[in-house]
Short mmCIF file of all heavy atoms in Angstrom, two decimals:
data_model
loop_
_atom_site.label_atom_id
_atom_site.label_comp_id
_atom_site.label_asym_id
_atom_site.label_seq_id
_atom_site.Cartn_x
_atom_site.Cartn_y
_atom_site.Cartn_z
N GLN I 197 7.93 -34.82 24.21
CA GLN I 197 7.32 -33.98 25.25
C GLN I 197 6.93 -32.62 24.70
O GLN I 197 5.89 -32.06 25.07
CB GLN I 197 8.29 -33.83 26.43
CG GLN I 197 8.47 -35.10 27.25
CD GLN I 197 9.41 -34.90 28.41
OE1 GLN I 197 10.10 -33.88 28.51
NE2 GLN I 197 9.44 -35.86 29.32
N GLU I 198 7.76 -32.08 23.81
CA GLU I 198 7.43 -30.79 23.20
C GLU I 198 6.14 -30.88 22.40
O GLU I 198 5.30 -29.97 22.44
CB GLU I 198 8.59 -30.33 22.30
CG GLU I 198 9.81 -29.85 23.09
CD GLU I 198 11.01 -29.57 22.19
OE1 GLU I 198 10.96 -29.95 20.99
OE2 GLU I 198 11.99 -29.00 22.69
N PHE I 199 5.97 -31.97 21.66
CA PHE I 199 4.74 -32.16 20.90
C PHE I 199 3.54 -32.34 21.84
O PHE I 199 2.47 -31.76 21.62
CB PHE I 199 4.86 -33.37 19.97
CG PHE I 199 5.41 -33.02 18.61
CD1 PHE I 199 6.69 -33.40 18.24
CD2 PHE I 199 4.64 -32.29 17.70
CE1 PHE I 199 7.20 -33.07 16.98
CE2 PHE I 199 5.15 -31.96 16.45
CZ PHE I 199 6.43 -32.35 16.09
N LEU I 200 3.71 -33.13 22.88
CA LEU I 200 2.59 -33.38 23.80
C LEU I 200 2.14 -32.10 24.49
O LEU I 200 0.94 -31.92 24.77
CB LEU I 200 2.98 -34.43 24.84
CG LEU I 200 3.07 -35.87 24.32
CD1 LEU I 200 3.64 -36.79 25.38
CD2 LEU I 200 1.70 -36.37 23.87
N LEU I 201 3.08 -31.18 24.77
CA LEU I 201 2.71 -29.90 25.39
C LEU I 201 1.73 -29.11 24.54
O LEU I 201 0.95 -28.31 25.05
CB LEU I 201 3.96 -29.04 25.63
CG LEU I 201 4.61 -29.10 27.01
CD1 LEU I 201 5.80 -28.16 27.07
CD2 LEU I 201 3.63 -28.76 28.13
N GLN I 202 1.74 -29.36 23.24
CA GLN I 202 0.84 -28.64 22.35
C GLN I 202 -0.60 -29.18 22.40
O GLN I 202 -1.51 -28.60 21.82
CB GLN I 202 1.36 -28.71 20.91
CG GLN I 202 2.72 -28.03 20.75
CD GLN I 202 3.25 -28.13 19.33
OE1 GLN I 202 2.90 -27.32 18.47
NE2 GLN I 202 4.08 -29.12 19.07
N TYR I 203 -0.78 -30.29 23.12
CA TYR I 203 -2.09 -30.92 23.26
C TYR I 203 -2.61 -30.93 24.70
O TYR I 203 -3.80 -31.06 24.93
CB TYR I 203 -2.05 -32.37 22.76
CG TYR I 203 -1.83 -32.52 21.28
CD1 TYR I 203 -0.53 -32.58 20.76
CD2 TYR I 203 -2.91 -32.63 20.40
CE1 TYR I 203 -0.33 -32.73 19.39
CE2 TYR I 203 -2.70 -32.79 19.03
CZ TYR I 203 -1.41 -32.83 18.53
OH TYR I 203 -1.21 -32.99 17.18
N ARG I 204 -1.72 -30.85 25.67
CA ARG I 204 -2.11 -31.00 27.08
C ARG I 204 -3.10 -29.89 27.48
O ARG I 204 -3.06 -28.78 26.95
CB ARG I 204 -0.89 -30.95 27.99
CG ARG I 204 0.08 -32.12 27.80
CD ARG I 204 1.24 -32.02 28.79
NE ARG I 204 2.27 -33.01 28.54
CZ ARG I 204 2.28 -34.26 29.02
NH1 ARG I 204 1.26 -34.67 29.78
NH2 ARG I 204 3.28 -35.09 28.76
N LEU I 205 -3.95 -30.19 28.48
CA LEU I 205 -4.94 -29.20 28.92
C LEU I 205 -4.34 -28.11 29.79
O LEU I 205 -4.95 -27.08 30.02
CB LEU I 205 -6.10 -29.89 29.65
CG LEU I 205 -7.07 -30.65 28.75
CD1 LEU I 205 -8.21 -31.25 29.55
CD2 LEU I 205 -7.63 -29.74 27.65
N THR I 206 -3.15 -28.35 30.31
CA THR I 206 -2.38 -27.24 30.88
C THR I 206 -1.00 -27.33 30.27
O THR I 206 -0.42 -28.42 30.16
CB THR I 206 -2.37 -27.27 32.42
OG1 THR I 206 -1.72 -26.10 32.90
CG2 THR I 206 -1.68 -28.49 32.98
N TYR I 207 -0.47 -26.21 29.83
CA TYR I 207 0.73 -26.24 28.99
C TYR I 207 1.53 -24.96 29.17
O TYR I 207 1.02 -23.95 29.65
CB TYR I 207 0.32 -26.42 27.53
CG TYR I 207 -0.56 -25.30 27.01
CD1 TYR I 207 -0.04 -24.21 26.34
CD2 TYR I 207 -1.95 -25.34 27.20
CE1 TYR I 207 -0.85 -23.18 25.88
CE2 TYR I 207 -2.77 -24.33 26.74
CZ TYR I 207 -2.22 -23.24 26.08
OH TYR I 207 -3.02 -22.22 25.63
N LEU I 208 2.78 -25.02 28.77
CA LEU I 208 3.65 -23.85 28.78
C LEU I 208 3.63 -23.19 27.40
O LEU I 208 3.74 -23.88 26.38
CB LEU I 208 5.09 -24.24 29.10
CG LEU I 208 5.46 -24.45 30.58
CD1 LEU I 208 6.86 -25.02 30.67
CD2 LEU I 208 5.36 -23.15 31.36
N ALA I 209 3.50 -21.89 27.38
CA ALA I 209 3.50 -21.18 26.10
C ALA I 209 3.89 -19.73 26.33
O ALA I 209 3.67 -19.18 27.41
CB ALA I 209 2.14 -21.26 25.44
N GLU I 210 4.44 -19.13 25.30
CA GLU I 210 4.74 -17.70 25.35
C GLU I 210 3.47 -16.96 24.99
O GLU I 210 2.93 -17.12 23.90
CB GLU I 210 5.87 -17.34 24.38
CG GLU I 210 6.37 -15.91 24.60
CD GLU I 210 7.51 -15.53 23.69
OE1 GLU I 210 7.29 -15.50 22.46
OE2 GLU I 210 8.62 -15.29 24.19
N THR I 211 2.96 -16.20 25.93
CA THR I 211 1.68 -15.52 25.70
C THR I 211 1.76 -14.05 26.07
O THR I 211 2.62 -13.63 26.86
CB THR I 211 0.56 -16.16 26.56
OG1 THR I 211 0.98 -16.17 27.93
CG2 THR I 211 0.27 -17.57 26.11
N GLU I 212 0.85 -13.29 25.49
CA GLU I 212 0.71 -11.89 25.87
C GLU I 212 0.01 -11.83 27.22
O GLU I 212 -1.05 -12.43 27.41
CB GLU I 212 -0.17 -11.16 24.84
CG GLU I 212 0.55 -10.80 23.57
CD GLU I 212 1.41 -9.56 23.72
OE1 GLU I 212 1.10 -8.73 24.60
OE2 GLU I 212 2.38 -9.41 22.96
N VAL I 213 0.60 -11.13 28.17
CA VAL I 213 0.02 -11.06 29.51
C VAL I 213 -0.08 -9.61 29.97
O VAL I 213 0.54 -8.71 29.41
CB VAL I 213 0.87 -11.87 30.53
CG1 VAL I 213 0.87 -13.35 30.18
CG2 VAL I 213 2.30 -11.33 30.61
N ASN I 214 -0.89 -9.42 31.02
CA ASN I 214 -0.98 -8.11 31.67
C ASN I 214 0.08 -8.07 32.77
O ASN I 214 -0.07 -8.72 33.80
CB ASN I 214 -2.37 -7.92 32.30
CG ASN I 214 -3.48 -8.04 31.29
OD1 ASN I 214 -3.45 -7.41 30.25
ND2 ASN I 214 -4.47 -8.87 31.58
N TRP I 215 1.14 -7.32 32.54
CA TRP I 215 2.25 -7.28 33.50
C TRP I 215 2.18 -5.98 34.31
O TRP I 215 2.08 -4.90 33.74
CB TRP I 215 3.59 -7.38 32.77
CG TRP I 215 4.79 -7.20 33.66
CD1 TRP I 215 5.62 -6.12 33.73
CD2 TRP I 215 5.28 -8.12 34.64
NE1 TRP I 215 6.60 -6.32 34.66
CE2 TRP I 215 6.42 -7.54 35.24
CE3 TRP I 215 4.88 -9.38 35.06
CZ2 TRP I 215 7.16 -8.17 36.24
CZ3 TRP I 215 5.61 -10.02 36.06
CH2 TRP I 215 6.72 -9.42 36.63
N CYS I 216 2.19 -6.14 35.63
CA CYS I 216 2.18 -4.96 36.51
C CYS I 216 3.55 -4.85 37.15
O CYS I 216 3.88 -5.60 38.09
CB CYS I 216 1.09 -5.12 37.58
SG CYS I 216 1.02 -3.72 38.71
N PRO I 217 4.39 -3.94 36.68
CA PRO I 217 5.75 -3.83 37.23
C PRO I 217 5.77 -3.51 38.73
O PRO I 217 6.60 -4.03 39.47
CB PRO I 217 6.36 -2.67 36.41
CG PRO I 217 5.55 -2.63 35.15
CD PRO I 217 4.18 -3.03 35.54
N ALA I 218 4.84 -2.66 39.19
CA ALA I 218 4.84 -2.27 40.60
C ALA I 218 4.56 -3.46 41.52
O ALA I 218 5.13 -3.58 42.60
CB ALA I 218 3.81 -1.17 40.84
N LEU I 219 3.65 -4.35 41.06
CA LEU I 219 3.32 -5.53 41.86
C LEU I 219 4.21 -6.72 41.53
O LEU I 219 4.21 -7.73 42.23
CB LEU I 219 1.86 -5.92 41.66
CG LEU I 219 0.81 -4.90 42.11
CD1 LEU I 219 -0.60 -5.38 41.77
CD2 LEU I 219 0.93 -4.62 43.60
N GLY I 220 4.95 -6.60 40.40
CA GLY I 220 5.87 -7.67 40.02
C GLY I 220 5.16 -8.94 39.63
O GLY I 220 5.67 -10.04 39.87
N THR I 221 3.98 -8.82 39.01
CA THR I 221 3.24 -10.04 38.67
C THR I 221 2.33 -9.83 37.48
O THR I 221 2.05 -8.69 37.07
CB THR I 221 2.41 -10.52 39.88
OG1 THR I 221 1.88 -11.82 39.61
CG2 THR I 221 1.25 -9.57 40.17
N VAL I 222 1.87 -10.95 36.93
CA VAL I 222 0.85 -10.96 35.88
C VAL I 222 -0.52 -10.83 36.53
O VAL I 222 -0.76 -11.37 37.61
CB VAL I 222 0.93 -12.29 35.08
CG1 VAL I 222 -0.28 -12.45 34.19
CG2 VAL I 222 2.21 -12.33 34.27
N LEU I 223 -1.41 -10.09 35.88
CA LEU I 223 -2.77 -9.93 36.39
C LEU I 223 -3.77 -10.47 35.38
O LEU I 223 -3.56 -10.35 34.17
CB LEU I 223 -3.08 -8.45 36.67
CG LEU I 223 -2.22 -7.75 37.72
CD1 LEU I 223 -2.61 -6.27 37.81
CD2 LEU I 223 -2.37 -8.40 39.08
N ALA I 224 -4.83 -11.08 35.87
CA ALA I 224 -5.93 -11.50 35.00
C ALA I 224 -6.72 -10.26 34.58
O ALA I 224 -6.65 -9.21 35.23
CB ALA I 224 -6.84 -12.47 35.74
N ASN I 225 -7.48 -10.38 33.48
CA ASN I 225 -8.26 -9.23 33.00
C ASN I 225 -9.20 -8.69 34.08
O ASN I 225 -9.42 -7.48 34.18
CB ASN I 225 -9.08 -9.63 31.77
CG ASN I 225 -8.21 -9.68 30.52
OD1 ASN I 225 -7.20 -8.99 30.43
ND2 ASN I 225 -8.59 -10.52 29.57
N ASP I 226 -9.78 -9.61 34.90
CA ASP I 226 -10.72 -9.15 35.91
C ASP I 226 -10.03 -8.54 37.13
O ASP I 226 -10.70 -8.07 38.03
CB ASP I 226 -11.65 -10.30 36.35
CG ASP I 226 -10.90 -11.53 36.82
OD1 ASP I 226 -10.25 -12.17 35.98
OD2 ASP I 226 -10.96 -11.84 38.02
N GLU I 227 -8.68 -8.52 37.13
CA GLU I 227 -7.94 -7.87 38.21
C GLU I 227 -7.47 -6.47 37.81
O GLU I 227 -6.72 -5.83 38.52
CB GLU I 227 -6.73 -8.72 38.61
CG GLU I 227 -7.10 -10.06 39.22
CD GLU I 227 -5.90 -10.96 39.47
OE1 GLU I 227 -5.11 -11.19 38.53
OE2 GLU I 227 -5.74 -11.43 40.61
N ILE I 228 -7.96 -6.01 36.64
CA ILE I 228 -7.57 -4.69 36.12
C ILE I 228 -8.83 -3.85 35.99
O ILE I 228 -9.83 -4.29 35.44
CB ILE I 228 -6.89 -4.83 34.74
CG1 ILE I 228 -5.66 -5.73 34.84
CG2 ILE I 228 -6.51 -3.47 34.19
CD1 ILE I 228 -5.15 -6.19 33.50
N VAL I 229 -8.77 -2.64 36.51
CA VAL I 229 -9.90 -1.72 36.44
C VAL I 229 -9.42 -0.40 35.85
O VAL I 229 -8.47 0.21 36.37
CB VAL I 229 -10.53 -1.49 37.84
CG1 VAL I 229 -11.66 -0.48 37.75
CG2 VAL I 229 -11.02 -2.80 38.43
N ASN I 230 -10.03 0.01 34.75
CA ASN I 230 -9.69 1.27 34.08
C ASN I 230 -8.19 1.37 33.75
O ASN I 230 -7.57 2.43 33.92
CB ASN I 230 -10.11 2.47 34.94
CG ASN I 230 -11.60 2.51 35.16
OD1 ASN I 230 -12.38 2.15 34.28
ND2 ASN I 230 -12.03 2.92 36.35
N GLY I 231 -7.64 0.24 33.33
CA GLY I 231 -6.26 0.25 32.86
C GLY I 231 -5.20 0.14 33.93
O GLY I 231 -4.00 0.12 33.62
N VAL I 232 -5.61 0.08 35.19
CA VAL I 232 -4.63 -0.06 36.28
C VAL I 232 -5.02 -1.25 37.15
O VAL I 232 -6.14 -1.76 37.07
CB VAL I 232 -4.54 1.23 37.14
CG1 VAL I 232 -4.04 2.40 36.32
CG2 VAL I 232 -5.89 1.55 37.79
N SER I 233 -4.08 -1.70 37.99
CA SER I 233 -4.37 -2.85 38.85
C SER I 233 -5.46 -2.51 39.84
O SER I 233 -5.49 -1.40 40.40
CB SER I 233 -3.10 -3.27 39.60
OG SER I 233 -2.67 -2.26 40.48
N GLU I 234 -6.38 -3.46 40.05
CA GLU I 234 -7.45 -3.26 41.03
C GLU I 234 -6.85 -3.05 42.41
O GLU I 234 -7.33 -2.25 43.19
CB GLU I 234 -8.37 -4.48 41.03
CG GLU I 234 -9.60 -4.32 41.90
CD GLU I 234 -10.53 -5.52 41.80
OE1 GLU I 234 -10.04 -6.63 41.57
OE2 GLU I 234 -11.74 -5.34 41.96
N ARG I 235 -5.77 -3.78 42.70
CA ARG I 235 -5.07 -3.65 43.98
C ARG I 235 -3.98 -2.59 43.83
O ARG I 235 -2.98 -2.79 43.15
CB ARG I 235 -4.45 -5.00 44.36
CG ARG I 235 -3.61 -4.97 45.63
CD ARG I 235 -4.48 -4.83 46.87
NE ARG I 235 -3.68 -4.75 48.08
CZ ARG I 235 -4.16 -4.51 49.29
NH1 ARG I 235 -5.45 -4.32 49.43
NH2 ARG I 235 -3.38 -4.45 50.33
N GLY I 236 -4.19 -1.43 44.40
CA GLY I 236 -3.16 -0.40 44.44
C GLY I 236 -3.20 0.62 43.33
O GLY I 236 -2.55 1.65 43.40
N GLY I 237 -3.95 0.33 42.24
CA GLY I 237 -4.06 1.30 41.16
C GLY I 237 -2.78 1.53 40.38
O GLY I 237 -2.48 2.64 39.96
N HIS I 238 -1.98 0.47 40.17
CA HIS I 238 -0.70 0.60 39.48
C HIS I 238 -0.85 0.40 37.98
O HIS I 238 -1.71 -0.36 37.53
CB HIS I 238 0.30 -0.43 40.03
CG HIS I 238 0.52 -0.32 41.51
ND1 HIS I 238 1.11 0.77 42.10
CD2 HIS I 238 0.22 -1.19 42.52
CE1 HIS I 238 1.17 0.58 43.41
NE2 HIS I 238 0.63 -0.59 43.69
N PRO I 239 0.03 1.03 37.18
CA PRO I 239 -0.02 0.86 35.72
C PRO I 239 0.21 -0.60 35.33
O PRO I 239 0.96 -1.33 35.97
CB PRO I 239 1.12 1.75 35.21
CG PRO I 239 1.36 2.74 36.31
CD PRO I 239 1.05 2.02 37.58
N VAL I 240 -0.46 -0.99 34.24
CA VAL I 240 -0.35 -2.36 33.72
C VAL I 240 0.03 -2.27 32.25
O VAL I 240 -0.52 -1.46 31.51
CB VAL I 240 -1.68 -3.12 33.88
CG1 VAL I 240 -1.59 -4.51 33.25
CG2 VAL I 240 -2.07 -3.23 35.34
N ILE I 241 1.01 -3.09 31.84
CA ILE I 241 1.42 -3.10 30.44
C ILE I 241 1.27 -4.51 29.88
O ILE I 241 1.15 -5.48 30.63
CB ILE I 241 2.88 -2.62 30.26
CG1 ILE I 241 3.85 -3.55 30.99
CG2 ILE I 241 3.03 -1.19 30.71
CD1 ILE I 241 5.32 -3.27 30.70
#
Side-chain angles (χ1 to χ4, degrees):
Q197 289 181 349
E198 287 173 349
F199 271 109
L200 287 172
L201 265 182
Q202 297 179 84
Y203 292 88
R204 295 183 188 273
L205 286 182
T206 185
Y207 60 94
L208 279 172
E210 190 178 64
T211 54
E212 282 280 335
V213 296
N214 302 309
W215 174 253
C216 180
L219 297 177
T221 190
V222 168
L223 299 177
N225 282 333
D226 54 293
E227 295 174 307
I228 302 165
V229 177
N230 298 324
V232 297
S233 64
E234 186 177 30
R235 176 72 182 174
H238 303 294
V240 176
I241 62 172

